[in-house]
Amino acid sequence: LFVFLQWLRWPPCSWKAPGQPSPAWASWISSIGITLFPSLQLKAEPFPGLPLAQPFTVRGALGKVRGWRLPRIGRGTCTVLYLHGNAGNMGVDHRVRLYQLLTAKPLSCDVATIDYGGFGQSDGW
């Protein structure tokens, strides 16, 4: 039985310093989950870090919404606003891989992503 826990900020990452990877203990916790529940094929990898990401904050009536802007690598003209849905946070492994794919050549897109209010690094509602 899985219970949705929006307060669980996994993987641990700092929205202020997105270039820093998750602390070493995050790898240990991930390996325990994978070992205990191999049939679930958990993909709870620690945050690898995004050195080029620039944090930003937008204030609203219900608190702060936090996000990252990831600049394109190479020449490009498109911008992607990535809204990740209602689970996890901006630093989840498959999302980080997508940011890297979108910003790299040949796509070379700017990417802006946020954590919704009450999720990840944004204030609750």
Side-chain angles (χ1 to χ4, degrees):
L1 175 66
F2 286 96
V3 177
F4 177 71
L5 303 171
Q6 72 185 39
W7 52 266
L8 181 62
R9 296 178 176 173
W10 190 265
C13 59
S14 168
W15 77 272
K16 289 182 182 178
Q20 292 180 329
S22 292
W25 58 264
S27 294
W28 185 75
I29 295 290
S30 294
S31 66
I32 288 175
I34 291 168
T35 302
L36 293 178
F37 306 103
S39 63
L40 296 178
Q41 297 179 347
L42 297 174
K43 304 244 188 259
E45 297 294 322
F47 178 67
L50 290 166
L52 298 177
Q54 303 162 353
F56 66 88
T57 302
V58 178
R59 293 178 186 265
L62 302 175
K64 297 176 184 173
V65 173
R66 295 180 173 93
W68 293 329
R69 178 189 171 272
L70 295 105
R72 67 178 61 99
I73 299 169
R75 298 181 70 157
T77 58
C78 65
T79 300
V80 174
L81 175 59
Y82 184 76
L83 304 172
H84 64 68
N86 66 349
N89 63 32
M90 300 177 292
V92 174
D93 184 56
H94 68 277
R95 294 178 184 139
V96 170
R97 288 188 213 169
L98 180 60
Y99 308 151
Q100 292 167 336
L101 177 69
L102 289 169
T103 57
K105 295 176 183 178
L107 297 176
S108 294
C109 298
D110 280 326
V111 176
T113 184
I114 63 166
D115 276 332
Y116 296 109
F119 294 87
Q121 303 297 321
S122 293
D123 293 343
W125 29 273

